[in-house]
Amino acid sequence: MQRILLSLCTGTLLLFAQPKAQAQEQPASFKRNLIGGTLGFGYSTDKNATTTSEGTSTSISVAPVYAHYLSATFAIGASLTYAYNKNENSGAVNRNEYNLYSFGPFVRFEIPLWQSRFSIYNDLGLYGSYIKSTQETDSVHSKMDYWGAGAFYEPGLMFRLKSNIALQASLGRLVSYDYQKNDLGYSHSFGIRSSRNGTEEFRIGINFLF
């Protein structure tokens, strides 16, 4: 619970903090277009003391992105994401893996950090998704397709390496809502990021501005 509250407070601070140098004037020739992408990876473990079962989760994702800046600190864009996730457990379900494809628009607010090349970006977005899932137990091998949609808030750190090249890093989505539907029914979920044993997700990226 403490980790969840800490993550929530951190994200709120990143979104609403106003650095002292934010009042600087907008550059006369700032770059209006951004094209790039991020690579994400994660690993976590989970042990159940009651059942003595142990599980691991491994994930990787690739997300190309395009954004158009309406001002030096505000942009609208869209991203396409592919993600692979595998969960293995010593309990009843031995293996569960899925391939996810999603696409959607987002808006980005950037907060410059004083006179440095660093800034905090805050992405608010919507997405539609398709998931192809496979589940294995000792006696059953089943496949299921899901369609879904959702919304998210993701804060991160950006570093302007040059005027036309920027690096970025984040710990993934801080707050998210997800809806999924398959032939058996549907489900809703709302989450605030929390850490377990290991790194759930870490995203790094490079962007080109022009």
Side-chain angles (χ1 to χ4, degrees):
M1 178 62 70
Q2 291 179 346
R3 291 178 178 175
I4 294 176
L5 293 177
L6 178 61
S7 297
L8 180 60
C9 292
T10 300
T12 303
L13 178 62
L14 294 181
L15 180 60
F16 295 106
Q18 298 295 324
K20 295 180 180 179
Q22 190 175 3
Q24 62 186 5
E25 295 183 358
Q26 177 175 300
S29 59
F30 70 95
K31 309 298 184 181
R32 287 194 172 273
N33 297 287
L34 177 150
I35 186 169
T38 61
L39 174 66
F41 55 90
Y43 176 80
S44 65
T45 62
D46 188 12
K47 293 184 179 180
N48 191 316
T50 303
T51 62
T52 68
S53 64
E54 180 177 353
T56 62
S57 177
T58 305
S59 64
I60 185 170
S61 65
V62 179
V65 62
Y66 169 78
H68 177 73
Y69 282 85
L70 301 179
S71 71
T73 58
F74 176 74
I76 57 175
S79 64
L80 176 67
T81 301
Y82 166 74
Y84 170 78
N85 182 275
K86 179 177 69 174
N87 298 290
E88 294 182 301
N89 198 302
S90 59
V93 178
N94 298 331
R95 182 187 182 96
N96 183 17
E97 61 182 1
Y98 66 78
N99 293 276
L100 176 147
Y101 307 86
S102 70
F103 174 80
F106 67 90
V107 295
R108 171 171 293 187
F109 303 90
E110 290 186 23
I111 302 175
L113 291 180
W114 302 282
Q115 299 297 327
S116 71
R117 296 186 180 185
F118 287 96
S119 63
I120 295 168
Y121 72 84
N122 302 274
D123 287 353
L124 300 171
L126 303 172
Y127 62 87
S129 64
Y130 168 71
I131 299 175
K132 194 172 187 64
S133 174
T134 302
Q135 188 175 98
E136 296 181 4
T137 66
D138 293 335
S139 57
V140 177
H141 180 92
S142 62
K143 294 183 178 181
M144 185 72 68
D145 293 344
Y146 298 82
W147 294 93
F152 67 90
Y153 161 58
E154 177 182 329
L157 188 65
M158 180 176 289
F159 176 73
R160 293 296 179 98
L161 189 63
K162 295 183 177 180
S163 62
N164 62 340
I165 300 177
L167 307 178
Q168 70 179 60
S170 77
L171 294 177
R173 294 168 178 172
L174 177 62
V175 181
S176 61
Y177 166 78
D178 188 63
Y179 168 85
Q180 291 184 5
K181 185 179 186 305
N182 58 29
D183 293 339
L184 301 179
Y186 63 90
S187 65
H188 300 266
S189 65
F190 174 80
I192 299 173
R193 178 182 171 80
S194 62
S195 297
R196 291 182 290 175
N197 300 325
T199 302
E200 286 197 347
E201 187 172 39
F202 178 66
R203 297 183 184 180
I204 56 175
I206 183 169
N207 303 309
F208 299 94
L209 299 102
F210 58 95

